[in-house]
Amino acid sequence: MNPFRIERQFHGPPTSGNGGYVSGRLAAYIDGPAVVRLLMRPPLDTAMDVCPVDGGIELMHGSTRVATARQTEPLADVPRAPGYGQVEAASLGYRGFLWHPFPTCFVCGPARDPGDGLRIFAGPVPGTRIVAAPWIPHASLGSRGVVSPEFVWAALDCPGAFSFESSEGTALLLGEIAATLLAPVRIGNRHIAAGWEIDRKDRRHYTGTAIFTESGECLALARSTWFEVPATP
């Protein structure tokens, strides 16, 4: 068993870890592309254990399973990236500026300061089914000019939650995310974070997300499952 703790800075909802960040931390125990399933809201500032199981690992809080991670097939299907100017304009239409269930979310919370949160504000790109945002990774997110993988996973999280309509009073919680990291994401460079809806079934939504360079090269992509729930802390 390996000790595991989620620091409060990296929350999504105020009392639990951001799903993408937690998933990226767990994916570090898996060789190659990974899929992580969140079975409950991961608690903050709490000692947990990463335990090996057949085919992967489990994150345990005492006798309770918090999440699982295992290998998966590489992802490949990704739409063409919008232009960087389009993305800058689209971000102004981020609906989280009007109402956000978790305004201090590490990834997409508008109440987070630069350098404290990722501040990825994905808005609709006209003429497409994509939401997108510009993202210039802060120096605190890695070393030697490269963003650490857990923060790439985090950036692949929230744009998916804003790729489909949801009403005020409703929150979206990540249930599962599978990601493939293709190339390094560079600190200080201009990137595009994009999301799109693939399918939906009642209150369950299936989305794709990707991180592109400014010129449109795909550096990382993910597929996620989201659940609509009442907006509570």
Side-chain angles (χ1 to χ4, degrees), residues 213-232:
T213 64
E214 180 183 3
S215 62
E217 176 191 357
C218 184
L219 303 177
L221 65 158
R223 297 290 182 272
S224 301
T225 303
W226 294 88
F227 295 91
E228 292 186 32
V229 298
T232 57

Side-chain angles (χ1 to χ4, degrees), residues 30-186:
I30 305 296
D31 291 330
V35 57
V36 179
R37 179 169 293 180
L38 301 171
L39 305 174
M40 59 175 285
R41 297 192 187 192
L44 300 169
D45 296 328
T46 300
M48 293 178 280
D49 296 300
V50 175
C51 306
V53 295
D54 288 343
I57 60 164
E58 293 179 336
L59 179 63
M60 302 294 297
H61 181 208
S63 60
T64 302
R65 284 198 310 165
V66 177
T68 64
R70 57 180 173 79
Q71 288 183 328
T72 191
E73 294 296 318
L75 301 172
D77 186 24
V78 62
R80 183 177 178 178
Y84 196 81
Q86 288 179 289
V87 167
E88 289 181 307
S91 187
L92 299 175
Y94 175 58
R95 73 168 183 261
F97 291 146
L98 301 176
W99 184 84
H100 199 301
F102 310 125
T104 60
C105 173
F106 174 66
V107 176
C108 65
R112 299 295 285 260
D113 293 328
D116 179 48
L118 301 190
R119 293 175 57 85
I120 294 176
F121 306 139
V125 178
T128 77
R129 297 176 58 211
I130 293 173
V131 295
W135 181 42
I136 301 176
H138 190 268
S140 63
L141 299 179
S143 61
R144 299 183 179 182
V146 175
V147 176
S148 297
E150 64 268 28
F151 297 121
V152 179
W153 277 72
L156 288 167
D157 177 6
C158 296
F162 289 89
S163 66
F164 50 87
E165 293 296 326
S166 65
S167 59
E168 289 191 19
T170 297
L172 287 307
L173 293 182
L174 184 68
E176 183 175 280
I177 181 170
T180 300
L181 308 188
L182 300 170
V185 176
R186 300 287 177 181

